[in-house]
Amino acid sequence: RNATFEDAELRDVYFNGADLHGADFYKATFFHVDFSQAIGLLDQSAWLKENFTMSPDGLIVYKIFGDSAEYDEWGDVSPGQELSENVNPSPAEEFGCGVSFATLDSIKRGHKFRVKDGKAFVYECILPPFVQVVVPYNTTGWARAAKLIVRRQMTLAELGF
């Protein structure tokens, strides 16, 4: 309980039946780690329900495009555009391939994003049903999916700026 594994390299570790409530895995690296029967890990479904709104088309999530190669990869993003990528399936890894998305609160907490003509490069997107999603155990408000559909670009006013 409340153990800190920040920046740890965990190799061939067995957390079988461990109480991991409050465990801090921030920037930890995992190699052959077994979480069987461990309790206190993030419940991905509950996190998605608590942090996002359901629409008839799927969950409404948020995607930013900052000063990164990812923006160039997608080009000019427009409503209806499908963003897709292979997903790193491990929730033990905070960062990995996939289409990243976040809670609106996480984006407002100071993440850099591009701005042009009063609009932010922050997009409201749809996470369709039955798409692979991975929420890292130690998420800071970010997750990744195999596919998002761009719904609309947000204004700075909507973001509280």
Side-chain angles (χ1 to χ4, degrees):
R1 204 175 246 273
N2 297 319
T4 299
F5 299 98
E6 185 173 337
D7 291 319
E9 184 175 302
L10 302 171
R11 186 179 298 276
D12 298 318
V13 176
Y14 298 91
F15 286 112
N16 301 60
D19 182 350
L20 297 174
H21 283 94
D24 182 0
F25 291 107
Y26 184 68
K27 293 186 179 178
T29 306
F30 298 85
F31 301 97
H32 302 63
V33 175
D34 185 349
F35 290 103
S36 295
Q37 303 302 311
I39 59 170
L41 292 172
L42 177 73
D43 178 329
Q44 295 185 31
S45 295
W47 184 84
L48 289 167
K49 287 177 190 173
E50 290 168 11
N51 288 285
F52 300 101
T53 303
M54 181 59 84
S55 78
D57 301 319
L59 283 179
I60 298 172
V61 300
Y62 303 92
K63 170 105 183 103
I64 69 169
F65 295 94
D67 295 325
S68 70
E70 186 176 68
Y71 176 72
D72 294 331
E73 176 184 338
W74 303 117
D76 290 330
V77 179
S78 58
Q81 183 174 347
E82 184 178 294
L83 309 175
S84 59
E85 176 63 82
N86 292 322
V87 178
N88 176 333
S90 175
E93 295 184 40
E94 184 175 10
F95 301 104
C97 57
V99 184
S100 62
F101 64 93
T103 65
L104 204 47
D105 286 342
S106 293
I107 291 171
K108 290 178 179 181
R109 278 197 304 256
H111 289 280
K112 293 180 182 176
F113 51 84
R114 296 161 42 110
V115 176
K116 183 178 179 184
D117 299 329
K119 289 204 170 189
F121 282 73
V122 176
Y123 290 80
E124 185 179 273
C125 296
I126 295 293
L127 174 63
F130 311 113
V131 167
Q132 183 181 10
V133 177
V134 176
V135 181
Y137 292 138
N138 229 26
T139 186
T140 55
W142 292 84
R144 55 189 178 266
K147 177 170 68 173
L148 295 180
I149 299 169
V150 177
R151 194 170 188 189
R152 66 186 185 88
Q153 187 173 14
M154 300 185 70
T155 66
L156 289 173
E158 287 178 294
L159 295 169
F161 297 105

